């Protein structure tokens, strides 16, 4: 497995501005958010209580998730009223054009001090690239398992999300092989691949400039799974049907 090309927190904004993507180590994420690693690890048990994703159009049973939305205005983090997750077909050919209602995140997760610190720190990086503004944040807790013998972190394939920035954070992986992350230029031929294996590794993407995917996972032992937190940051409002 190729390790992520970690960058120091001090170089995160310049690398993201130049390359359109940047990976940060767990210790770097803690530095960025101003939290202890234990505070982040305390969030991980909530991934054991994710309902099945009932919208998979490939017939799979390998994905569980929760979804909540937030508005970030400077240091103020406000949870938005619960809403459907929606993407246009131009960005998600498999599930686009469909209002998907998922159960919200556990209130104890978003009420803890680590959660707003995480959103604020990532929002500040987004603003350092595109200027200060309110950010409309969708948070997705994912568990991809190997119930069907194979699990697909990105069943839609290599894609953009139709937002400004995407943060992919590995929460944990156990009893699996695969799950390689691949990032490609949206308007070019170059790309990079690596495997996130350390819990609380961060990958931050400029969604206008790159496309991304994760390869399928296969079991090495019973109960194999991969847990991630995906945060999307969008200016101007949440995605929704016109």
């Amino acid at each position: 497995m190729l390790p992520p090309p970690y960058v120091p927190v001090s170089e995160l904004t310049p690398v993201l501005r130049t390359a359109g993507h940047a990976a940060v180590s767990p210790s770097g994420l803690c530095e960025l958010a101003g939290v202890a690693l234990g505070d982040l690890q305390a969030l991980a048990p909530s991934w054991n209580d994710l309902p099945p994703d009932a919208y998979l159009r490939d017939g799979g049973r390998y994905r569980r998730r929760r979804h909540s939305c937030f508005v970030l205005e400077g240091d103020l983090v406000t949870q938005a009223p619960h809403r459907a997750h929606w993407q246009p077909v131009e960005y998600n050919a498999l599930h686009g054009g469909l209002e998907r209602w998922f159960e919200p995140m556990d209130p104890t997760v978003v009420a803890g001090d680590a959660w707003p610190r995480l959103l604020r720190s990532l929002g500040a990086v987004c603003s350092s690239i595109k200027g200060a503004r309110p950010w409309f944040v969708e948070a997705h807790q994912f568990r991809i398992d190997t119930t069907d013998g194979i699990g697909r972190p990105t069943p839609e394939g290599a894609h953009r999300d139709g937002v400004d920035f995407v943060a992919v954070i590995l929460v944990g992986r156990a009893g699996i092989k695969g799950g390689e992350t691949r990032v490609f230029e949206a308007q070019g031929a170059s790309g990079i691949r690596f495997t996130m294996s350390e819990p609380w590794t961060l990958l931050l993407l400029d969604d206008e400039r790159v496309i991304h995917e994760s390869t399928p996972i296969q079991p090495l032992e019973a109960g194999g799974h991969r847990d991630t937190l995906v945060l999307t940051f969008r200016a101007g409002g949440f995605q929704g049907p016109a």
Side-chain angles (χ1 to χ4, degrees):
M1 297 192 301
L2 296 174
Y6 292 143
V7 302
V9 170
S10 60
E11 297 178 17
L12 175 56
T13 294
V15 170
L16 183 61
R17 181 179 289 117
T18 300
H21 58 87
V24 175
S25 69
S27 61
L29 178 59
C30 291
E31 177 187 347
L32 179 69
V35 299
L37 184 58
D39 295 331
L40 295 177
Q41 291 172 333
L43 306 179
S46 66
W47 268 258
N48 294 324
D49 186 32
L50 303 183
D53 185 335
Y55 294 94
L56 284 171
R57 285 180 165 171
D58 63 0
R61 300 174 298 162
Y62 53 80
R63 185 159 73 182
R64 294 174 174 270
R65 69 192 295 179
R66 289 183 183 271
H67 168 251
S68 290
C69 296
F70 303 84
V71 179
L72 177 61
E73 299 180 88
D75 288 337
L76 180 63
V77 178
T78 305
Q79 187 164 359
H82 195 52
R83 58 183 290 120
H85 176 51
W86 186 92
Q87 293 175 291
V89 293
E90 291 82 1
Y91 293 107
N92 190 327
L94 186 60
H95 298 114
L98 177 67
E99 288 192 334
R100 290 180 283 168
W101 288 91
F102 302 106
E103 291 296 316
M105 296 175 63
D106 187 328
T108 61
V109 172
V110 302
D113 187 55
W115 183 254
R117 286 176 177 266
L118 183 62
L119 296 192
R120 288 188 200 110
S121 62
L122 294 173
V125 176
C126 298
S127 292
S128 72
I129 302 291
K130 295 199 172 182
R133 65 196 66 195
W135 293 106
F136 295 81
V137 184
E138 294 196 46
H140 305 263
Q141 291 179 289
F142 288 106
R143 168 165 288 182
I144 307 300
D145 64 35
T146 51
T147 297
D148 297 332
I150 190 170
R152 296 177 175 85
T154 52
E156 65 272 42
H159 65 283
R160 292 166 55 207
D161 286 303
V163 297
D164 289 276
F165 295 95
V166 179
V168 181
I169 301 173
L170 179 73
V171 176
R173 54 181 285 155
I176 61 168
K177 61 180 179 179
E180 182 180 80
T181 296
R182 297 175 178 177
V183 183
F184 311 93
E185 291 179 335
Q187 303 296 328
S190 67
I192 190 172
R193 62 186 181 91
F194 53 86
T195 302
M196 296 193 289
S197 60
E198 295 184 275
W200 304 102
T201 294
L202 164 69
L203 172 63
L204 195 55
L205 306 166
D206 185 332
D207 191 57
E208 293 186 42
R209 297 179 55 196
V210 297
I211 59 177
H212 64 281
E213 67 176 342
S214 294
T215 62
I217 61 172
Q218 294 176 286
L220 291 176
E221 58 188 56
H225 63 271
R226 179 178 186 263
D227 293 344
T228 55
L229 171 64
V230 176
L231 302 167
T232 63
F233 292 76
R234 189 172 189 266
F238 297 109
Q239 284 185 317

